[in-house]
Amino acid sequence: MKPIEYWIRALLAYAEKQELIRPEDEIFMRNELLSALALHGYDEPADPPGEEPLEEILGALCDHAAAHGLLEMDSVVCRDLFDTRLMGILTPRPSEVIERFYRLYREDPRAATDDYYRFCRAVNYIRTDRVKKDLKWSVPSEFGDIDITINLSKPEKDPRAIAAARSAPQSGYPKCALCRETEGYAGTMSFPARQNHRLIPVTLDGEPWFFQYSPYVYYNEHCIVLSAEHSPMRITRATFRRMLEFVTLLPHYFVGSNADLPIVGGSILSHDHMQGGRYVFPMERAAIRLPLTFRGFEDVEAGIVHWPLSAIRLSSENKDEIEALSDKILRLWRGYTDEAAFVLAETDGVPHNTVTPIARRRGRRYEMDLVLRNNITTEEHPLGVYHPHAALHNIKRENIGLIEVMGLAILPPRLKTEMAALRDAILAGRDVSGDELLGKHAAWLAAFRDKYSFTEENVTEILRREIGRTFVEVLRDAGVYKQDEEGMAAMVRFIDAVNAAQ
């Protein structure tokens, strides 16, 4: 068993290799780590450290902390709080990170984001050891290949940690997980530690915003662009302007916003933010199904996208024209009602219509996708008419937000366990209808079970294919206008209303 000094030395060597500290910093940083580990002395280890993975180094240091009563309890939450504290000691100050980013940005925006993304992984803000556990695959569909992921990056909380968080006093600081005040925050049992978190300031539409990466990276270089002010999500013309300015600053990134209404919005509506990154989503590859022309914007190429959700694509070298037309479409959609298509702008004064917008660059051209959303509910569909219907809830019942709108399924971690168990049941020829874990999948399985001859070699691939097909149906459910003759005719009626408006 290696002594604690070995792991301290290994962490310092890692930090120097990752350019987090310099040789001149070593003794100072060692003493900071000793303080955090409640140690008062240090003997240089006889064996120099090798190149152990960061998770192994931090795991050994957390083992020491647990054994010496430095953790409230030996749980994933408490270990995360402690190892983030250790990494925070080694993380450069915000001013240093910002200066480095913009020094590289002046040479090449891609170099700046490459370096910042590397940095976020190096300081363990993005926990690469967890991200690599995610399950990912693609399935073909009539709309092109659809991307599927079962995200396992967020650790499941220990029931003891949940109970401790419930009984702990609530400070209301930071106000939410997206507030800039999270930078350097020590965390609590109910709020993640962020001592190793660093934000990059950007100015959008003359206002202070910040750019960071998501710690859960649902796709490559998954970033979040957040307002300096804790203000609610609201899609307006200013949203489009900020999006277009962002892809001007970082033309190799896309950026989009969740819708600003419940059910069709994201999980955080209390803080205005956008999401972006360097990833080509299935929706971006989708072709135009029906070209459109908007009166007064004849220079803007437009069309209805061949996609299960109802999407209008705008393209032009003139970003001001894109902004103005996007705003016109949004304003018309907010107040648009077509009872024949079950599109109601509001009921009892509650608004239903909004959009999920996505901006990107294609060479010199700006492109904006506006996905029409509606969050109306009925007795038959209490979670939403344009939301995954009950028959699909065994695979996906959560809201369809920005990322999934674009064709990347983020499926719940439970499916990893359930699909493994379902695989065994299929091979054993077992009826799952009465099974406590698998009963929810019985009708789903029955719909395709007789189409296949299952073997050890093909059963996993078949289940993944059927999950992908189900996700396409989830997206169809979320589409206001269906991809059939009746649906397209109704969507064209809305386009005609836009053209008829001043």
Side-chain angles (χ1 to χ4, degrees):
M1 183 175 178
K2 296 183 175 68
I4 189 64
E5 289 89 350
Y6 178 92
W7 297 110
I8 293 172
R9 184 72 192 87
L11 184 57
L12 291 168
Y14 169 86
E16 188 173 334
K17 182 178 180 181
Q18 296 295 328
E19 301 180 3
L20 303 178
I21 65 172
R22 297 177 180 177
E24 301 93 322
D25 301 322
E26 183 178 329
I27 292 176
F28 177 86
M29 292 300 181
R30 177 203 298 163
N31 287 331
E32 291 287 297
L33 293 173
L34 290 174
S35 176
L37 291 159
L39 296 171
H40 303 289
Y42 179 85
D43 294 318
E44 194 66 39
D47 298 322
E51 290 199 3
E52 288 87 355
L54 179 61
E55 58 265 32
E56 183 179 348
I57 298 170
L58 293 175
L61 295 171
C62 284
D63 288 344
H64 169 90
H68 291 80
L70 302 181
L71 306 183
E72 186 173 331
M73 63 183 73
D74 191 4
S75 67
V76 172
V77 170
C78 290
R79 282 174 171 257
D80 282 0
L81 290 170
F82 189 77
D83 70 19
T84 303
R85 178 185 175 190
L86 298 182
M87 291 308 299
I89 290 170
L90 303 169
T91 302
R93 294 194 177 208
S95 57
E96 298 174 61
V97 177
I98 294 165
E99 188 279 330
R100 180 180 175 113
F101 180 88
Y102 278 107
R103 175 164 42 83
L104 291 170
Y105 179 87
R106 285 189 288 272
E107 299 172 10
D108 178 9
R110 288 184 188 234
T113 56
D114 285 349
D115 183 75
Y116 180 45
Y117 191 58
R118 179 204 62 79
F119 165 83
C120 291
R121 289 176 292 170
V123 299
N124 211 39
Y125 170 70
I126 296 173
R127 294 177 179 264
T128 54
D129 60 313
R130 291 178 183 168
V131 172
K132 66 186 178 185
K133 296 176 183 177
D134 293 348
L135 302 179
K136 299 180 180 181
W137 68 93
S138 296
V139 293
S141 79
E142 67 173 281
F143 305 102
D145 286 351
I146 301 294
D147 296 338
I148 310 293
T149 179
I150 296 177
N151 192 277
L152 305 170
S153 302
K154 290 185 180 180
E156 294 190 27
K157 290 188 177 180
D158 186 308
R160 296 170 301 163
I162 295 172
R166 189 179 298 120
S167 61
Q170 304 297 312
S171 71
Y173 177 90
K175 291 179 180 177
C176 78
L178 294 181
C179 282
R180 64 169 300 190
E181 288 79 10
T182 60
E183 186 177 45
Y185 185 61
T188 66
M189 296 295 282
S190 59
F191 201 105
R194 290 290 182 254
Q195 290 105 318
N196 57 351
H197 179 34
R198 299 293 181 264
L199 295 156
I200 303 298
V202 293
T203 300
L204 299 175
D205 193 26
E207 298 176 349
W209 283 60
F210 291 90
F211 163 58
Q212 66 172 67
Y213 288 108
S214 166
Y216 307 113
V217 285
Y218 291 143
Y219 51 85
N220 185 49
E221 297 181 42
H222 177 187
C223 71
I224 301 172
V225 188
L226 55 98
S227 172
E229 181 182 338
H230 181 76
S231 57
M233 292 282 293
R234 189 160 173 259
I235 305 293
T236 66
R237 182 167 184 161
T239 306
F240 305 135
R241 190 178 308 124
R242 287 190 288 262
M243 291 170 64
L244 294 165
E245 287 185 8
F246 183 80
V247 296
T248 302
L249 288 170
L250 298 176
H252 56 297
Y253 275 17
F254 83 91
V255 71
S257 175
N258 269 306
D260 55 357
L261 294 178
I263 297 176
V264 294
S267 58
I268 299 179
L269 293 176
S270 61
H271 194 126
D272 203 359
H273 69 285
M274 304 179 287
Q275 297 181 74
R278 195 190 310 190
Y279 187 77
V280 178
F281 281 85
M283 185 180 181
E284 182 178 343
R285 298 191 294 263
I288 294 297
R289 172 176 179 149
L290 178 66
L292 302 171
T293 300
F294 287 95
R295 186 170 60 82
F297 297 92
E298 286 77 10
D299 292 338
V300 176
E301 291 184 11
I304 295 174
V305 183
H306 181 56
W307 194 243
L309 287 99
S310 310
I312 300 167
R313 178 166 295 162
L314 311 176
S315 175
S316 173
E317 290 188 17
N318 186 332
K319 72 179 192 303
D320 294 337
E321 289 280 280
I322 296 280
E323 175 195 322
L325 180 51
S326 297
D327 178 57
K328 183 177 182 180
I329 292 170
L330 171 65
R331 285 187 289 107
L332 264 293
W333 179 244
R334 290 275 196 203
Y336 183 75
T337 289
D338 181 350
E339 293 185 3
F342 202 64
V343 174
L344 302 180
E346 57 87 22
T347 53
D348 300 323
V350 177
H352 297 307
N353 290 349
T354 185
V355 299
T356 300
I358 305 108
R360 65 182 75 89
R361 300 289 295 276
R362 290 192 196 259
R364 294 173 58 87
R365 300 183 74 85
Y366 291 86
E367 197 167 88
M368 181 76 77
D369 286 349
L370 299 173
V371 183
L372 306 179
R373 311 298 301 276
N374 180 289
N375 74 347
I376 195 168
T377 61
T378 62
E379 287 188 11
E380 183 183 1
H381 300 294
L383 297 181
V385 172
Y386 306 111
H387 175 88
H389 290 176
L392 308 178
H393 286 180
N394 65 306
I395 301 298
K396 177 71 177 180
R397 66 174 291 148
E398 297 81 8
N399 294 353
I400 301 304
L402 169 69
I403 296 170
E404 291 173 314
V405 162
M406 296 185 290
L408 171 59
I410 302 169
L411 301 181
R414 63 175 172 80
L415 283 179
K416 179 183 178 183
T417 301
E418 291 172 6
M419 288 304 113
L422 193 59
R423 173 188 181 279
D424 294 341
I426 290 170
L427 292 174
R430 189 158 51 84
D431 178 15
V432 301
S433 57
D435 189 287
E436 184 177 353
L437 177 68
L438 301 178
K440 67 173 77 72
H441 298 294
W444 178 73
L445 175 60
F448 63 81
R449 191 170 196 163
D450 293 341
K451 295 194 302 184
Y452 299 104
S453 296
F454 291 97
T455 67
E456 286 266 4
E457 291 72 27
N458 71 13
V459 61
T460 298
E461 177 57 32
I462 291 171
L463 286 174
R464 287 187 168 193
R465 188 185 314 151
E466 292 298 330
I467 288 172
R469 288 175 176 170
T470 301
F471 181 66
V472 172
E473 295 308 308
V474 163
L475 295 183
R476 288 187 201 271
D477 282 354
V480 176
Y481 298 112
K482 307 311 176 188
Q483 292 277 328
D484 55 25
E485 186 175 341
E486 182 181 356
M488 286 300 96
M491 190 167 179
V492 169
R493 287 200 298 272
F494 169 66
I495 302 301
D496 289 343
V498 174
N499 278 326
Q502 296 301 314

